[in-house]
Amino acid sequence: MNTDSHALEPYALEPIGVPVPFHGVPSLAGGGRYLYGEALDPFSNPNSGGLFVFDTVADDVIAWLPDERHAQFRNVIVHEDSAMVAASDGSLLRYEPGATTLRPTGISLGDRLRASTRPDSSGIIYAVTTSQHDLVAIDPDGNVRSLGNAVAYSTSIALLPDQSAFIYVPDAHGGTANFGAPVIAVDTSTGVQTTLVELDQLARDGLGLVLGGSFNVTVDPTRRLAHIGLNAGPTQESPWGEVVQITVELDNQLADRPAANAAASSLEAATDTFGLTAPLTGIRGHAVAVADINADGWDDLFVGTFADRPPETYAVRGAQGPNPDRLLLGGPDGFRLDDTFPGRLARSAGAAFADLDGDGDLDVISASLGDDKVAWYSNTAGQFGPQQIITLNADLVESVEAADVDADGSLDVISVSALDDKVAWYQGNGAGSFGPEQIISTNPDYPVALTTADLDGDLDPDVITASTGDDTLAWFENETPFPDCNNNGVNDIVEIYEGDEEDCNGNLVPDSCELATGAALDCNGNGIPDECEIAAGVLRDCNGNGIPDECEIAAGTAPDCNGNGFVDSCEVAAGVETDCDGNGVLDSCELAAGIASDCNGNGILD
């Protein structure tokens, strides 16, 4: 991977300067002599618009196809002499030369198309959908083959030169650093996904920036380079404000990728190999959690045990009796016992790692079914404090998890307990304190397992349980109210992530709502908050008062006596103009208006 912006011969840029209808162009793709793109009015009616076709030989737009099925196509699939776009229902529509309408193809993806590759040598196109993140292969006959799911919402994919895989970077709207900003290769035959390289640490080390979202991936087959464009910012909470391009040298990164015809994966016992035999002696393992708790790049293990059996039960590998719960630290030579961890002789049935006190370190959460206890151990720079009890009221507690149930920005703890058939959660305050038990359900019969995931796509964690008394896998929808400033029934954050709403300042509130409520100003009425246009350099704010100069001049709140578009006071402050008598009027204007004299013509008021 090359991070030196001068090490590679630059590409030449040639502006085309083609006017297209409406001016908003969220997608553009080329094929042969034609460029295809979506055009829409991005402010007054973003769900209207259509497909335009530009002929590079004729140097003109030769087709404009508005379509009522249009719902922000967001991607154009290009064939040699035609193009396809996806309607709002996920079906594909085709444009052919000379056509005046888009015709159905009979192909449906079940979700809106978000990104696609060029066709490979067999005419197969690889694509990803918007909401479900489905990865698919579409053959020339219209057959759709599933290749699994992308890790997160992805806006761009690119086919590798040998066509064995395509690459993408997950999470296009602010969260890619949560995954390490990986460049992931998807095998075009098997769908197996392999991380080629993680980019976030590179940006942190080389640029002092945290990567926010990936918005474009392209591959140069001649020089075998992948160019990846990303948003970036100073912190993980605010990964915006900068644009970074990272170039990946594919030959270096692909060398270790498993071949498509490699042997199937297999598992083998590795307890001895990784040095786990001695630390696990005297352990009847019943709980495990995995994370890098000391940030050294190696996974660590918490192993919970049933330590209430007679001593002879543990007489294996030389053990004389039970040992307590263990924390095992990973490293290049395997695992070693952390003998400072305050493990207990308990019946630990479940465990998880999470930062419960907001200090940036992963703490341990444990479920001890012998005493119906949910507890946690605070981690401070790799050193764990004593056990802290969350509840003693979970009868035969089996499993625990952490998630932000109530969307207040702090992690909460969730548990399932078998004898009272209870799924419950405990509100965290982000500093290590927890509220009383709040019951989610007592319907599962003998629940023993628990996890969380956003199953309904509303950006909050739902709860999934497995119960043995009724042989049931169940889920419980998190009905915490979500932000919906425009009252359309869709989570504002979902609309921002999917591109249906703009959020130019990255505060997760749609621009349209901030403008409607007056929380953001738009003095020129173009639908873009003034602060964003100022930050982007589109508008000037020379006096730093948050109001664009052009608006102050138009409103008469800031003079521009010479009509050059610059506020007079700023020209004086910059030394471009003078105001020798300090009356707020440029000397040049007073002289031009004849209200001040300059008898010797030296430009200075007499």
Side-chain angles (χ1 to χ4, degrees):
M1 188 159 39
N2 200 312
T3 60
D4 181 356
S5 62
H6 301 289
L8 299 172
E9 180 183 348
Y11 290 81
L13 300 178
E14 179 183 352
I16 298 176
V18 180
V20 298
F22 292 146
H23 312 302
V25 185
S27 58
L28 187 69
R33 65 184 283 178
Y34 301 108
L35 285 176
Y36 304 89
E38 175 192 16
L40 53 80
D41 182 340
F43 302 115
S44 63
N45 194 1
N47 287 322
S48 67
L51 183 75
F52 71 88
V53 184
F54 172 70
D55 187 327
T56 60
V57 176
D59 198 32
D60 195 14
V61 174
I62 61 170
W64 166 237
L65 293 83
D67 196 290
E68 66 275 7
R69 293 162 294 184
H70 170 279
Q72 297 187 345
F73 295 141
R74 306 306 295 270
N75 182 248
V76 183
I77 295 177
V78 175
H79 289 278
E80 184 175 345
D81 58 355
S82 66
M84 291 191 293
V85 294
S88 56
D89 62 0
S91 63
L92 295 184
L93 310 173
R94 185 184 298 277
Y95 164 79
E96 293 174 332
T100 56
T101 60
L102 299 173
R103 67 172 181 83
T105 63
I107 304 171
S108 179
L109 304 180
D111 186 14
R112 283 191 300 164
L113 179 71
R114 187 59 187 89
S116 63
T117 69
R118 58 181 173 81
D120 68 10
S121 57
S122 300
I124 297 174
I125 291 164
Y126 303 94
V128 62
T129 66
T130 299
S131 300
Q132 303 302 319
H133 321 318
D134 296 320
L135 297 169
V136 297
I138 309 168
D139 70 22
D141 296 325
N143 299 309
V144 179
R145 175 169 56 92
S146 173
L147 292 170
N149 294 89
V151 171
Y153 176 65
S154 303
T155 60
S156 183
I157 61 177
L159 193 63
L160 295 182
D162 64 1
Q163 305 184 35
S164 67
F166 56 87
I167 58 173
Y168 73 96
V169 178
D171 204 328
H173 289 288
T176 192
N178 295 330
F179 307 100
V183 180
I184 297 177
V186 182
D187 191 290
T188 53
S189 298
T190 66
V192 170
Q193 301 190 39
T194 304
T195 297
L196 301 182
V197 64
E198 292 186 349
L199 304 179
D200 186 58
Q201 196 60 51
L202 174 74
R204 292 175 192 249
D205 294 342
L207 301 173
L209 296 172
V210 177
L211 297 180
S214 62
F215 51 82
N216 193 62
V217 178
T218 187
V219 169
D220 179 341
T222 303
R223 293 197 278 184
R224 299 184 62 78
L225 303 173
H227 301 298
I228 300 162
L230 306 108
N231 293 314
T235 66
Q236 194 151 339
E237 292 71 31
S238 182
W240 315 101
E242 301 286 349
V243 176
V244 173
Q245 177 181 300
I246 295 179
T247 297
V248 177
E249 296 174 337
L250 292 173
D251 289 338
N252 292 339
Q253 304 304 325
L254 293 174
D256 297 327
R257 188 172 69 89
N261 59 354
S265 299
S266 62
L267 301 176
E268 62 181 66
T271 306
D272 292 335
T273 305
F274 285 92
L276 288 168
T277 300
L280 294 180
T281 298
I283 296 287
R284 291 177 64 88
H286 204 279
V288 66
V290 182
D292 180 8
I293 59 99
N294 51 10
D296 64 354
W298 297 92
D299 282 337
D300 309 304
L301 299 174
F302 172 85
V303 181
T305 178
F306 276 15
D308 61 339
R309 301 295 196 267
E312 59 269 20
T313 307
Y314 304 90
V316 179
R317 299 194 300 272
Q320 301 301 309
N323 275 317
D325 296 339
R326 299 292 206 192
L327 181 65
L328 307 175
L329 303 178
D333 300 319
F335 291 89
R336 60 181 176 85
L337 176 65
D338 181 355
D339 54 15
T340 68
F341 181 77
R344 300 169 65 89
L345 292 167
R347 295 182 67 193
S348 298
F353 283 114
D355 181 12
L356 298 183
D357 52 8
D359 64 354
D361 297 316
L362 294 175
D363 310 306
V364 173
I365 315 165
S366 67
S368 174
L369 57 79
D371 50 8
D372 305 329
K373 183 193 298 179
V374 178
W376 71 288
Y377 302 83
S378 178
N379 174 9
T380 303
Q383 296 296 312
F384 285 84
Q387 184 186 78
Q388 302 182 57
I389 297 172
I390 296 174
T391 185
L392 292 170
N393 192 38
D395 197 356
L396 204 72
V397 62
E398 294 275 4
S399 184
V400 288
E401 278 288 346
D404 185 5
V405 174
D406 54 357
D408 66 351
S410 300
L411 287 178
D412 311 302
V413 171
I414 311 163
S415 67
V416 292
S417 42
L419 290 184
D420 54 10
D421 300 329
K422 188 163 55 186
V423 185
W425 71 286
Y426 314 87
Q427 184 181 35
N429 69 351
S433 296
F434 292 88
E437 169 188 276
Q438 301 185 56
I439 296 176
I440 296 172
S441 178
T442 56
N443 289 332
D445 186 359
Y446 210 90
V448 296
L450 160 73
T451 191
T452 63
D454 179 13
L455 296 184
D456 51 2
D458 62 355
L459 297 187
D460 54 27
D462 307 304
V463 175
I464 308 153
T465 63
S467 46
T468 60
D470 52 9
D471 301 327
T472 297
L473 181 68
W475 75 284
F476 302 90
E477 181 182 358
N478 187 341
E479 296 182 341
T480 300
F482 54 76
D484 181 19
C485 67
N486 52 17
N487 296 314
N488 66 351
V490 182
N491 190 320
D492 293 341
I493 300 173
V494 173
E495 291 193 283
I496 291 169
Y497 277 16
E498 295 187 353
D500 296 325
E501 286 281 357
E502 296 297 327
D503 175 26
C504 68
N505 55 14
N507 66 352
L508 299 183
V509 179
D511 295 346
S512 61
C513 294
E514 292 198 276
L515 295 174
T517 61
L521 301 178
D522 177 22
C523 69
N524 55 13
N526 67 351
I528 304 174
D530 295 341
E531 64 177 283
C532 297
E533 293 196 281
I534 291 170
V538 177
L539 295 178
R540 287 191 305 273
D541 176 23
C542 69
N543 53 17
N545 65 353
I547 304 173
D549 296 349
E550 67 176 47
C551 295
E552 290 197 277
I553 293 170
T557 57
D560 174 24
C561 68
N562 54 14
N564 66 352
F566 291 90
V567 174
D568 293 346
S569 60
C570 295
E571 292 195 278
V572 172
V576 177
E577 289 278 359
T578 58
D579 176 20
C580 69
D581 53 7
N583 66 350
V585 182
L586 301 185
D587 295 345
S588 61
C589 292
E590 290 193 275
L591 293 173
I595 57 177
S597 301
D598 174 21
C599 65
N600 56 8
N602 67 352
I604 303 174
L605 302 190
D606 294 344

